[in-house]
Amino acid sequence: MKQSANEIIHLHHGSGGEHMTKLLNEVIIKTLHNDILDVKHDGAFLNLQGKLAFSTDSYVISPIFFKGGNIGELAVNGTVNDLSMCGAKPKYLSLSFIIEEGFSLAEFTTIVESIRKAADKAEVQIVTGDTKVVERGKGDKIYINTSGIGVVYDKAEISSLQIKPGNAVLINSAIASHGMAIMSEREGLQFESDIVSDTTNLNFTVQQLIERFGNKVHFLRDATRGGLASVLNEIATDCHLGISIFDEKINVETQVKNACELLGLDPLYVANEGAFVCIVDQSVADEALALLQTKNPLASNIGTITEEHPNKVILHSAFGGKRVVNPLIGEQLPRIC
Amino acid sequence: MKQSANEIIHLHHGSGGEHMTKLLNEVIIKTLHNDILDVKHDGAFLNLQGKLAFSTDSYVISPIFFKGGNIGELAVNGTVNDLSMCGAKPKYLSLSFIIEEGFSLAEFTTIVESIRKAADKAEVQIVTGDTKVVERGKGDKIYINTSGIGVVYDKAEISSLQIKPGNAVLINSAIASHGMAIMSEREGLQFESDIVSDTTNLNFTVQQLIERFGNKVHFLRDATRGGLASVLNEIATDCHLGISIFDEKINVETQVKNACELLGLDPLYVANEGAFVCIVDQSVADEALALLQTKNPLASNIGTITEEHPNKVILHSAFGGKRVVNPLIGEQLPRIC
């Protein structure tokens, strides 16, 4: 599709008629094409065997372009990561757009190109899709749903039922950078160095963890909406055990920490896109941490599972103090993902 | 969740925090619960073997409640039907909401209940989900994405490559009732009898067709957005053959026809939700039609595939005239599904 800078998406691009076919063929399928997608049926045909994982997420982030990424790669990475957290190898994604009338065709094309790049990087295929257009004022530029199918690794046994007292709680990176990148963008804040979203695909890291440590990896969860605090609280509730974490073990990059202080936000509650919690047997904690640190030096062993204070997360300070980390109440940063 | 009539959905219901957990537990999981969904992981675990079909659709219909259904059952039936059109038995759906802040909690609950009923009727399970909330004016009450996985029937060989000259073109029902039901609702039109959407699950009909006629069923496509005309044009283009259809064979219920005339709409272009095109070998055309007529007396054999006029759909009138049926250009009824 030859594009002029002023071209926009119209309602007729979602009509099921010729304009939609043109948008599909000349932007979406042209960019994303692969053997399965090219069949253009109402659905995709897949050959898969074994235990599968199936996940879905709608992405409504604002702004849609931010430092470190855009809504397109976020939509791929997010679902790739949800499947990874199930102990599965992500294989196939569906892709569904809800576009607001008037959205720039050039920006749409950029997003579709980012989707292709992110899918290639994670080695997944977009195999089926849908495009809807809503009137101005009934959306916000673009919303994207991705759903995904993965094949659970034979060795994986990821379940909150596997979590036991004494297990180590690891995290693969520093926290709070995605949320603060979005927040800085929205508020127009300038820092000495840019705060960049940590959006990335975690599937290869998870694959290595499971190949190497098998069922000694008990639980995985990415710390997205609601941040590390919310995710740890969910885990504690699900397994009816307590979690003790240590303040000085939780890494937050300096400019992220400064931005949080400036805005009065607790980094524990700020969303991440590439940070995940990994609960492992204490016997492999050091080795698993070493593996995570080969990917990111800020990976850390932040605490343990305990029979004390069931369903509660307790944060220990460097000075011996401790406090309950409550689940997020209310809304810290709407439309963060 | 005890509800008062005035309760609404707030941004914090999409935050990943306690309010979201409450909405999930007390409305969504409470209504939709099943063994797989109840695990509440980032994704669902499924055991499936063989050739699978995978499909996705986002539903943005306005109004969300209409005669014959609401957006919830539409979202289930639509994806069930897309999988059916692949010659697959629909098994599992994902469910993702994008809710506008301020949407009524009572209406949301009604929609979730309709989803449960439609899923039960079609014998599919909702196994994983997501809920996002966007600010007022950035959505329109509720948008729903469903993605689905089905198992392709061993006997099915549904593909545009299977379509051959001489094949019969069947349709399972009258056309245009969904689009005109929505249009009447929007325009506040009153007719002697109500026009009711034809939204329904087609999976059991397709199952019977394939069990009985196997690979003599060459192609299936539901005639949704863009109506029968658009779908036939897509098929003609995909198989590089022509399609001849006969005006007097295409059923339109009287009040639907009257409404189309009143509004100057051609029923061939009006969306359906329960009407599908079934292209079969001429040798089984009568039997297949008889099977479809046991479900709906308005099922009809509307024409044939031909080598003449490749890529074109020609409509023959009762009086011997004929005209090209063009693909839909522009937008007839935005947000019809």
Side-chain angles (χ1 to χ4, degrees):
Chain A
M1 200 178 273
K2 282 183 202 148
Q3 289 178 20
S4 82
N6 302 325
E7 272 190 275
I8 57 169
I9 304 222
H10 298 276
L11 280 175
H12 63 224
H13 285 114
S15 67
E18 282 225 310
H19 291 98
M20 192 169 105
T21 306
K22 207 166 138 74
L23 183 71
L24 274 173
N25 287 340
E26 298 183 14
V27 180
I28 301 176
I29 293 180
K30 185 178 165 189
T31 308
L32 301 178
H33 69 92
N34 60 54
D35 289 352
I36 304 174
L37 187 65
D38 295 352
V39 174
K40 290 194 274 181
H41 206 298
D42 274 335
F45 293 113
L46 312 174
N47 274 303
L48 284 169
Q49 302 293 335
K51 188 175 172 187
L52 304 182
F54 182 32
S55 186
T56 191
D57 251 324
S58 288
Y59 298 85
V60 299
I61 193 166
S62 172
I64 56 173
F65 291 94
F66 49 85
K67 291 207 172 63
N70 66 47
I71 190 171
E73 61 195 284
L74 194 76
V76 171
N77 291 338
T79 293
V80 160
N81 293 347
D82 281 346
L83 293 170
S84 302
M85 298 302 125
C86 295
K89 183 185 181 73
K91 298 279 288 181
Y92 301 111
L93 300 189
S94 65
L95 175 65
S96 180
F97 297 111
I98 298 175
I99 305 171
E100 186 189 10
E101 179 188 14
F103 183 51
S104 144
L105 185 58
E107 289 193 351
F108 178 65
T109 305
T110 303
I111 287 167
V112 177
E113 285 164 356
S114 295
I115 287 170
R116 172 80 208 207
K117 271 187 214 151
D120 286 349
K121 180 165 174 263
E123 298 178 11
V124 295
Q125 285 187 308
I126 311 291
V127 294
T128 190
D130 179 48
T131 303
K132 293 291 188 327
V133 183
V134 295
E135 304 93 325
R136 280 174 209 265
K138 303 294 183 187
D140 194 7
K141 295 181 177 173
I142 185 167
Y143 299 144
I144 302 179
N145 177 281
T146 52
S147 302
I149 302 178
V151 180
V152 178
Y153 295 109
D154 287 340
K155 288 183 178 179
E157 227 172 294
I158 309 295
S159 160
S160 59
L161 299 172
Q162 302 296 321
I163 302 173
K164 298 283 178 276
N167 287 173
V169 179
L170 312 181
I171 188 159
N172 69 316
S173 69
I175 61 167
S177 57
H178 176 72
M180 295 321 296
I182 301 304
M183 204 62 175
S184 314
E185 203 90 37
R186 284 194 207 159
E187 307 288 321
L189 300 179
Q190 299 287 338
F191 299 97
E192 272 180 51
S193 56
D194 281 340
I195 298 179
V196 176
S197 165
D198 63 345
T199 180
T200 191
N201 57 305
L202 297 167
N203 50 327
F204 300 119
T205 305
V206 168
Q207 181 171 14
Q208 286 181 27
L209 278 169
I210 289 174
E211 275 175 4
R212 190 136 152 225
F213 305 109
N215 65 5
K216 297 268 198 301
V217 181
H218 298 313
F219 201 76
L220 301 166
R221 176 68 59 94
D222 49 350
T224 53
R225 267 187 290 181
L228 180 61
S230 301
V231 162
L232 291 177
N233 268 285
E234 273 173 48
I235 298 173
T237 307
D238 283 355
C239 68
H240 307 296
L241 291 165
I243 301 180
S244 280
I245 53 174
F246 297 88
D247 201 15
E248 82 275 14
K249 297 285 192 181
I250 299 166
N251 291 310
V252 186
E253 287 176 5
T254 309
Q255 73 271 31
V256 174
K257 192 177 281 176
N258 291 344
C260 283
E261 278 170 13
L262 194 67
L263 297 169
L265 296 172
D266 182 342
L268 283 177
Y269 293 91
V270 175
N272 309 281
E273 283 295 331
F276 73 100
V277 170
C278 173
I279 298 178
V280 300
D281 215 86
Q282 200 59 250
S283 63
V284 301
D286 291 346
E287 279 178 275
L289 178 61
L291 190 156
L292 292 176
Q293 285 177 336
T294 63
K295 313 277 176 188
N296 187 327
L298 296 179
S300 181
N301 181 335
I302 62 170
T304 53
I305 303 295
T306 172
E307 277 179 298
E308 292 164 45
H309 55 82
N311 308 310
K312 286 210 176 337
V313 179
I314 302 286
L315 180 75
H316 299 258
S317 77
F319 312 106
K322 56 185 183 178
R323 66 174 173 93
V324 175
V325 178
N326 287 310
L328 177 64
I329 295 176
E331 175 61 89
Q332 199 184 53
L333 298 169
R335 295 182 56 196
I336 201 69
C337 61
Chain B
M1 196 178 273
K2 280 183 205 148
Q3 290 178 20
S4 82
N6 302 325
E7 272 190 277
I8 58 168
I9 304 226
H10 297 278
L11 281 175
H12 63 225
H13 284 115
S15 67
E18 283 224 311
H19 290 98
M20 191 169 105
T21 306
K22 207 166 138 74
L23 183 70
L24 274 173
N25 287 340
E26 298 183 15
V27 180
I28 301 175
I29 292 179
K30 185 179 166 192
T31 308
L32 301 178
H33 68 94
N34 59 55
D35 288 353
I36 303 174
L37 187 66
D38 294 351
V39 174
K40 289 194 275 182
H41 205 295
D42 274 334
F45 294 114
L46 312 174
N47 274 304
L48 283 169
Q49 302 294 333
K51 188 174 173 189
L52 305 182
F54 182 31
S55 186
T56 190
D57 252 323
S58 289
Y59 298 84
V60 298
I61 193 165
S62 171
I64 56 172
F65 291 94
F66 49 85
K67 293 209 170 62
N70 66 46
I71 190 171
E73 62 194 285
L74 195 76
V76 171
N77 290 338
T79 293
V80 160
N81 293 348
D82 281 347
L83 293 169
S84 302
M85 297 302 125
C86 296
K89 183 186 182 72
K91 298 280 287 178
Y92 301 111
L93 300 189
S94 66
L95 176 66
S96 181
F97 298 110
I98 298 176
I99 305 170
E100 185 189 11
E101 179 188 14
F103 184 51
S104 144
L105 185 58
E107 289 193 350
F108 179 66
T109 305
T110 302
I111 288 168
V112 177
E113 285 163 356
S114 295
I115 288 171
R116 173 79 207 208
K117 271 187 216 153
D120 285 349
K121 179 164 175 263
E123 297 179 12
V124 296
Q125 284 186 308
I126 311 290
V127 293
T128 190
D130 179 48
T131 303
K132 295 290 186 331
V133 183
V134 297
E135 305 93 325
R136 279 175 211 264
K138 303 293 184 186
D140 193 7
K141 294 182 177 172
I142 186 166
Y143 298 144
I144 302 180
N145 177 281
T146 52
S147 302
I149 302 178
V151 180
V152 179
Y153 294 110
D154 287 340
K155 287 184 179 179
E157 226 173 293
I158 308 294
S159 160
S160 59
L161 300 172
Q162 302 296 321
I163 302 173
K164 298 286 180 271
N167 286 173
V169 180
L170 312 181
I171 188 158
N172 69 317
S173 69
I175 61 167
S177 58
H178 176 73
M180 295 320 297
I182 301 304
M183 204 63 176
S184 314
E185 203 91 38
R186 283 194 207 159
E187 306 290 321
L189 301 180
Q190 299 286 338
F191 299 97
E192 271 179 51
S193 57
D194 281 342
I195 297 180
V196 175
S197 166
D198 63 344
T199 180
T200 191
N201 57 305
L202 297 167
N203 50 329
F204 299 118
T205 304
V206 167
Q207 182 172 13
Q208 287 181 24
L209 278 169
I210 289 174
E211 275 176 3
R212 188 135 154 228
F213 306 109
N215 65 5
K216 297 267 196 302
V217 181
H218 298 314
F219 201 74
L220 302 166
R221 177 68 59 92
D222 48 351
T224 53
R225 267 189 290 182
L228 180 60
S230 301
V231 162
L232 291 177
N233 269 284
E234 273 174 49
I235 297 172
T237 307
D238 284 356
C239 67
H240 307 296
L241 291 166
I243 302 179
S244 281
I245 53 173
F246 297 87
D247 201 14
E248 82 275 13
K249 297 287 192 179
I250 299 167
N251 292 310
V252 187
E253 286 175 6
T254 309
Q255 73 271 30
V256 173
K257 192 177 281 176
N258 292 343
C260 283
E261 278 170 15
L262 194 68
L263 297 168
L265 296 172
D266 183 343
L268 284 176
Y269 293 92
V270 175
N272 308 282
E273 283 295 328
F276 74 102
V277 170
C278 173
I279 299 177
V280 299
D281 214 86
Q282 200 59 250
S283 64
V284 300
D286 291 347
E287 279 178 276
L289 177 61
L291 191 155
L292 292 177
Q293 285 177 336
T294 63
K295 313 278 176 189
N296 187 327
L298 296 179
S300 182
N301 181 335
I302 63 171
T304 53
I305 304 295
T306 172
E307 277 179 298
E308 292 163 44
H309 55 81
N311 307 311
K312 286 211 178 336
V313 180
I314 303 285
L315 180 74
H316 299 259
S317 78
F319 313 106
K322 55 185 185 179
R323 67 174 174 93
V324 175
V325 178
N326 287 309
L328 178 65
I329 295 174
E331 174 63 88
Q332 200 184 50
L333 298 169
R335 296 183 55 199
I336 201 68
C337 62

